[in-house]
Amino acid sequence: MMDNCPALVLNADFRPLSYFPLSLWSWQDAVKAVFLGRVNIVSEYDRTVRSPTFEMRLPSVISLKEYVPGTRRPAFTRFNVFLRDRFVCQYCGDDFPTQDLTFDHVIPRSRGGRTAWTNVVTACGSCNLLKGNHLPREVRMFPIFSPRQPTTFELQENGRRFPPNFLHESWRDFLYWDSELEIG
Ligand SMILES: [Zn+2]
């Protein structure tokens, strides 16, 4: 199915526009952008698209010709909280698969705590249960890192440690080489 042929979109610096969610365009949008001259084709699928006047292989990876600065503040999502905290419970310091993590209000909502970057941390089920509706000092459970709003860059850097496993082969190659060439 052609519907299963999305294109991975790289910024002009050849890094994905975003990792989580990974920036993908439908093949229709990708082909349109190619014809409008807005993108370069980095990699292609074997599958071709035909019309009476042209034939082309569907792009699997494209890069923007003009750099788009990552100015947007990251979305405050459960996944991005986990990503900021690198999937590490901020109380016991162990890392867990996503499904075993939850998030904890450092100052519980029942005590006036807000649901915000600055008051929410990643926690495992046991720590979350232990902490309950207590303030950190009452149960001597303090987050390893004081929670704060991450930058897009920080999330991207953390995301590079966790390459998505559902990638098309060429994307995997790209992410692999991209991370291998990174220094420092
Ligand atoms: Zn824990």
Side-chain angles (χ1 to χ4, degrees):
M1 278 293 290
M2 294 233 284
D3 287 346
N4 295 327
C5 293
L8 174 65
V9 186
L10 307 179
N11 210 336
D13 65 356
F14 273 52
R15 292 182 175 194
L17 275 182
S18 81
Y19 280 86
F20 297 106
L22 197 65
S23 40
L24 301 176
W25 286 357
S26 68
W27 69 266
Q28 292 95 331
D29 286 345
V31 167
K32 192 172 161 191
V34 170
F35 275 96
L36 291 174
R38 292 186 181 148
V39 297
N40 294 311
I41 297 173
V42 178
S43 183
E44 298 169 323
Y45 290 103
D46 290 332
R47 190 175 294 275
T48 56
V49 59
R50 287 185 190 84
S51 85
T53 52
F54 79 95
E55 172 173 340
M56 73 180 285
R57 294 173 76 180
L58 291 179
S60 63
V61 182
I62 53 181
S63 68
L64 303 181
K65 288 186 178 173
E66 271 184 48
Y67 183 74
V68 176
T71 48
R72 223 156 43 93
R73 282 161 60 160
F76 179 51
T77 62
R78 174 189 293 255
F79 193 90
N80 280 346
V81 169
F82 295 166
L83 191 57
R84 178 197 65 185
D85 298 338
R86 298 181 183 179
F87 296 81
V88 168
C89 170
Q90 290 300 295
Y91 295 111
C92 66
D94 287 336
D95 51 11
F96 294 88
T98 314
Q99 66 268 23
D100 296 336
L101 290 172
T102 181
F103 63 81
D104 180 74
H105 288 77
V106 179
I107 297 169
R109 265 181 300 187
S110 60
R111 313 284 286 266
R114 294 175 53 229
T115 303
W117 280 115
T118 50
N119 191 47
V120 164
V121 297
T122 304
C124 70
S126 331
C127 287
N128 188 241
L129 201 64
L130 272 174
K131 185 160 170 298
N133 281 320
H134 299 289
L135 294 172
R137 60 182 158 79
E138 294 172 341
V139 279
R140 298 186 172 279
M141 290 175 73
F142 299 93
I144 297 171
F145 295 108
S146 282
R148 59 181 182 80
Q149 157 99 52
T151 63
T152 303
F153 179 77
E154 285 167 335
L155 289 189
Q156 296 265 11
E157 287 303 300
N158 287 353
R160 295 159 79 81
R161 297 157 180 259
F162 303 97
N165 59 13
F166 54 83
L167 295 178
H168 177 274
E169 210 54 41
S170 64
W171 305 346
R172 224 191 305 259
D173 286 348
F174 171 80
L175 293 171
Y176 172 75
W177 288 113
D178 185 43
S179 57
E180 280 299 294
L181 292 172
E182 200 65 25
I183 296 167

